[in-house]
């Protein structure tokens, strides 16, 4: 049997069928953008201090002085978790003593916030922190909320890949999209932090599952330059648009329940897409369902107004026919020496990129300036990153591109420790440059990983890599807390891992200029440690295969 891309070349690359699939699948990733980072605003902690009950015998001077002053990072600020004992202060106020003049405040006994907290509403009307008092002794619940979400993403990565390879890309895409939408809506009615966290776990489970399913479905339906465009300026760019929409929505909707309600609405729009997005013909062929695959391709030919051959899939003598009952598991990613090397290297790279990307992204609300502006800038910087990743995928070998992007990100984070304290804006700029490099690397690795593994285990491989990366994202909320030990420790750690990953990537096979492998045997035939020569790259770019409607990866 001829290769899949040769067999389906009669469709062309950019007809109405491909355009519909491209834009609808891209649009399906927009909710993932604002769902993945919603905790930035849902779980942010505004300025707060102990609540002071109204009392007629408490003078204005004592009301202002009842909150102790502490020195944090060299600056004085009001204590968030303690106050001077209310009964003592009331007695001193009743006696007419003036704080600081008649009474030395350092000698007054303190107590915890027994009456709760008073939260500033300058930025937020409410968050889950203000709703459930996730401060002081319960402050650990703030980063843990993000970790619970990413734990759901991890579980979704593990199960969705296997389900998608077994039951199909399309059913998993729509079922998990419905899960994400429904449980985002149910979160609005959370009555406790525990309830919110359990629902957040399920939202995370659905979020990554439909993203990976959409990514693989588009990768397998689209071909050549359109595929490269899809995995970079397609799903990644639309994800960034969703990310950019988050601070805009949060700016106008500052109550966390109302924000969640608005975030759940877009999912309803995607229900009719079931009738417009087909199953992957590649996957159907790998399951021995050639008649269904042929029916989809004939419908695509009709929509593209081209004539399909009388027989689309011709079997050659001795060609191994995929069996319906043949299934694969994540263990197949470790079975042979070649696959095991690829999987272990990719595990390191995906873990590093995810941990660094989310650590920097979730830290935007703690940077100097307006949190909405900071978040928007953090999201907007991904747009040029994905444009560059598309150019890299279009014209340069995968190993060189991915390694260079991670060296850029790691180097930028290393240099932060050399910036003097008087230039905080330069530190922020380097932090954003580090994220810029990691965003490029993330987009490249999604495409690169999909090219390395064959159709029969591609979704399982991507799902497993995404699962490993989510171990990094679970840790990410705690990375920046390492600054309490040493201010620059988070950046040194992330920079070191990025440099190590950049050094490991050249050990992977090069997929530039090769068609997608269909079977594990074809995957074994890929070359190791052999970089394509400049002549090969030039010939590849100038060949007839690189002309419109004929280009292949």
């Amino acid at each position: 049997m001829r290769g899949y891309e040769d067999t389906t070349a009669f469709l062309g690359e950019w007809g109405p069928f491909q355009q519909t699939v491209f834009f609808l699948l891209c649009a399906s990733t927009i909710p993932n953008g604002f769902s993945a980072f919603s905790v930035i605003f849902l779980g942010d902690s505004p300025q707060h201090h102990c609540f002071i009950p109204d009392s007629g015998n408490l003078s204005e001077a004592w009301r202002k002085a009842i909150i102790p002053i502490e020195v944090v990072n060299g600056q004085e600020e009001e204590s968030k978790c303690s106050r001077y004992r209310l009964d003592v202060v009331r007695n001193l106020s009743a006696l007419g003593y003036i704080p600081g003049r008649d009474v030395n405040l350092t000698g007054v006994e303190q107590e915890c916030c027994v009456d709760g907290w008073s939260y500033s509403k300058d930025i937020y009307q409410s968050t889950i922190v203000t709703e459930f008092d996730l401060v002081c002794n319960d402050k650990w619940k703030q980063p843990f909320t993000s970790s619970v979400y990413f734990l759901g993403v991890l579980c979704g990565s593990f199960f969705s890949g296997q389900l998608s390879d077994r039951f199909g890309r399309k059913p998993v895409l729509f079922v998990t999209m419905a899960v994400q939408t429904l449980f985002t809506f149910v979160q609005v009615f959370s009555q406790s932090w525990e309830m919110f966290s359990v629902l957040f776990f399920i939202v995370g489970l659905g979020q990554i599952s439909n993203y990976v399913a959409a990514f693989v479905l588009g990768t397998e339906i689209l071909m050549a330059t359109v595929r490269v465009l899809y995995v970079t300026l397609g799903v990644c760019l639309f994800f960034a648009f969703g990310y950019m929409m988050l601070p805009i929505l949060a700016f106008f909707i500052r109550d966390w329940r109302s924000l969640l309600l608005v975030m759940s609405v877009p999912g309803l729009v995607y229900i009719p897409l079931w009738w417009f997005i087909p199953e992957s013909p590649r996957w159907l062929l790998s399951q021995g369902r050639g008649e269904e695959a042929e029916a989809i391709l004939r419908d695509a030919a009709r929509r593209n107004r081209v004539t399909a051959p009388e027989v689309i899939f011709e079997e050659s003598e001795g060609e191994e026919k995929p069996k319906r009952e043949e299934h694969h598991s994540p263990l197949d990613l470790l079975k042979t020496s070649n696959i095991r090397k690829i999987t272990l290297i990719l595990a390191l790279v995906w873990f590093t990129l995810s941990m660094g990307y989310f650590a920097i992204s979730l830290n935007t609300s703690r940077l100097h300036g307006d949190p909405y502006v900071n978040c928007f800038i953090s999201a907007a910087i991904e747009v040029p990153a994905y444009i560059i990743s598309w150019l890299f995928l279009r014209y340069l070998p995968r190993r060189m591109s991915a390694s260079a992007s991670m060296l850029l990100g790691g180097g930028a984070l290393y240099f932060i420790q050399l910036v003097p304290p008087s230039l905080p804006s330069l530190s922020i700029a380097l932090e954003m440059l580090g994220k810029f490099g990691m965003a490029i690397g993330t987009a490249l690795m999604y495409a690169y990983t999909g090219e390395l593994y064959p159709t029969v285990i591609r979704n399982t491989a991507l799902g497993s890599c995404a699962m490993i990366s989510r171990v990094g994202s679970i840790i990410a909320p705690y990375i920046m807390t390492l600054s309490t030990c040493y201010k620059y420790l988070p950046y040194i750690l992330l920079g070191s891992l990025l440099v190590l990953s950049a050094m490991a990537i050249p050990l992977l096979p090069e997929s530039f200029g090769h068609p997608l492998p269909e079977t594990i045997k074809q995957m074994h035939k890929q070359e190791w440690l052999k970089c394509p020569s400049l002549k090969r790259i030039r010939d590849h770019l100038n060949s007839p295969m690189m002309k419109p409607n004929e280009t292949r990866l």
Side-chain angles (χ1 to χ4, degrees), residues 163-377:
L163 293 174
S164 182
D165 279 338
R166 176 164 296 192
F167 299 107
R169 286 47 167 142
K170 181 178 175 179
V172 171
L173 170 64
F174 283 92
V175 169
T176 55
M177 194 182 298
V179 168
Q180 178 183 351
T181 300
L182 175 62
F183 285 91
T184 298
F185 175 74
V186 176
Q187 274 187 293
V188 175
F189 306 99
S190 299
Q191 298 301 308
S192 65
W193 172 77
E194 290 78 10
M195 179 180 177
F196 178 90
S197 298
V198 170
L199 296 172
F200 212 24
F201 172 88
I202 301 174
V203 171
L205 190 149
Q207 189 266 353
I208 190 61
S209 300
N210 66 62
Y211 183 86
V212 172
F215 182 91
V216 173
L217 183 56
T219 299
E220 293 182 347
I221 291 179
L222 303 171
M223 292 184 291
T225 50
V226 180
R227 183 193 303 130
V228 173
L229 189 67
Y230 174 76
V231 300
T232 51
L233 299 188
V235 288
C236 293
L237 202 55
F238 276 70
F239 179 90
F241 288 155
Y243 185 6
M244 292 166 64
M245 288 172 58
L246 173 64
I248 298 174
L249 289 173
F251 179 82
F252 292 103
I253 306 172
R254 304 202 176 194
D255 171 71
W256 72 272
R257 294 183 189 271
S258 301
L259 180 59
L260 276 175
L261 182 61
V262 171
M263 287 171 55
S264 67
V265 171
L268 301 176
V269 178
Y270 296 109
I271 295 176
L273 300 188
W274 176 269
W275 290 274
F276 296 94
I277 297 177
E279 181 57 270
S280 166
R282 285 181 187 265
W283 176 81
L284 291 171
L285 284 173
S286 72
Q287 301 298 301
R289 296 159 62 177
E291 293 181 359
E292 295 176 55
E294 189 166 320
I296 291 174
L297 294 175
R298 292 193 184 280
D299 180 67
R302 179 186 59 80
R303 292 163 65 179
N304 284 357
R305 298 180 181 178
V306 298
T307 302
E310 186 174 342
V311 177
I312 296 179
F313 299 110
E314 298 178 354
E315 293 186 16
S316 299
E317 187 176 350
E319 183 74 22
E320 183 180 355
K321 184 178 180 179
K323 300 177 181 178
R324 174 188 290 268
E325 65 273 11
E326 183 179 0
H327 298 299
H328 297 273
S329 72
L331 294 178
D332 291 312
L333 305 178
L334 300 172
K335 272 188 176 179
T336 67
S337 157
N338 282 351
I339 298 180
R340 187 160 51 248
K341 290 176 184 177
I342 293 173
T343 301
L344 292 177
I345 293 173
L346 290 177
L348 169 66
V349 175
W350 280 71
F351 172 84
T352 300
L353 285 172
S354 181
M355 184 171 66
Y357 174 83
F358 283 101
I360 299 298
S361 298
L362 296 176
N363 192 51
T364 53
S365 62
R366 300 180 182 88
L367 299 176
H368 295 288
D370 188 282
Y372 300 103
V373 174
N374 291 339
C375 183
F376 183 83
I377 293 174

Side-chain angles (χ1 to χ4, degrees), residues 433-503:
L433 181 60
K435 182 183 176 180
F436 177 77
M438 286 185 283
I440 295 175
T442 300
L444 292 175
M445 291 312 299
Y446 262 102
Y448 192 13
T449 302
E451 293 173 353
L452 288 177
Y453 289 99
T455 301
V456 291
I457 58 170
R458 183 171 297 118
N459 210 83
T460 295
L462 273 170
S464 298
C465 287
M467 179 190 70
I468 293 169
S469 75
R470 296 318 163 194
V471 176
S473 61
I474 290 172
I475 300 172
Y478 297 95
I479 290 296
M480 289 303 171
T481 63
L482 295 176
S483 59
T484 57
C485 302
Y486 177 59
K487 183 177 180 181
Y488 301 109
L489 182 57
Y491 304 109
I492 294 174
L493 174 62
L494 294 176
S496 300
L497 287 173
L498 284 167
V499 172
L500 178 62
S501 298
M503 294 170 62

Side-chain angles (χ1 to χ4, degrees), residues 47-52 65-72 75-84 110-113 117-118 136:
Q47 290 295 322
H48 57 275
H49 57 73
C50 292
F51 176 72
I52 310 301
I66 195 172
I67 304 298
I69 300 299
E70 299 176 344
V71 178
V72 179
Q75 296 183 344
E76 292 186 346
E77 62 179 42
E78 290 185 336
S79 173
K80 298 177 179 180
C81 300
S82 63
R83 69 184 185 189
Y84 294 116
Q110 298 183 18
E111 63 182 357
C112 60
C113 301
W117 290 263
S118 177
C136 298

